[in-house]
Amino acid sequence: MQKSVLKRQKGLARRHRRVRGKVSGTASRPRLCITRSNNNIYAQVIDDVSRTTICGVSTLGPEFKKTGAKGSTVEGAAQLGNIVGKMAQEKGVSEVVFDRGGHLYHGRVKAVADGAREAGLKF
């Protein structure tokens, strides 16, 4: 791999460790974790105390495919946030803590958060 790619990966890992040191999910307030690639986004609601995933959705899943949006766009990210918010509500989760996964809070990451808030999650 090139030096610049390794440097970016190390920076992302460092930022993610820093965020995870401050953000932890409980049964009453689980963690909404966002993982992003160039083409897709993955969102999970996780209870870190019992180490269980309450619900998860990605732009590759059938729920998202029904919307017809693309996973690499801000509009698609907002749709994904809406879907994960509704799934969490169905599982009885109304409040979460947001884990941006080391990424900057703008663009697609912010769109997922706004979509989840629109669906009724509080954070």
Side-chain angles (χ1 to χ4, degrees):
M1 292 185 136
Q2 290 183 339
K3 200 179 222 181
S4 61
V5 173
L6 291 174
K7 189 174 179 182
R8 268 191 309 240
Q9 287 176 343
K10 285 174 107 177
L12 179 64
R14 185 180 66 243
R15 287 189 303 275
H16 196 184
R17 271 195 313 273
R18 186 171 53 222
V19 168
R20 285 290 291 123
K22 299 172 186 175
V23 175
S24 181
T26 62
S28 62
R29 195 165 179 193
R31 174 171 58 103
L32 174 59
C33 178
I34 305 298
T35 307
R36 177 180 75 74
S37 70
N38 285 340
N39 297 323
N40 296 297
I41 304 174
Y42 310 86
Q44 293 181 315
V45 179
I46 303 169
D47 178 4
D48 289 317
V49 176
S50 65
R51 295 181 177 180
T52 58
T53 300
I54 297 166
C55 65
V57 68
S58 78
T59 54
L60 298 171
E63 303 92 357
F64 182 78
K65 297 267 185 190
K66 290 177 190 172
T67 64
K70 287 181 69 175
S72 59
T73 63
V74 173
E75 293 81 18
Q79 290 286 333
L80 184 82
N82 206 333
I83 293 168
V84 76
K86 288 178 184 170
M87 286 178 79
Q89 293 277 334
E90 290 170 6
K91 300 281 184 168
V93 175
S94 60
E95 281 192 47
V96 295
V97 291
F98 190 70
D99 176 8
R100 60 189 174 87
H103 297 286
L104 294 176
Y105 185 78
H106 75 96
R108 290 187 289 155
V109 174
K110 184 175 188 284
V112 171
D114 292 340
R117 282 192 191 103
E118 195 176 287
L121 285 182
K122 293 180 188 141
F123 57 95

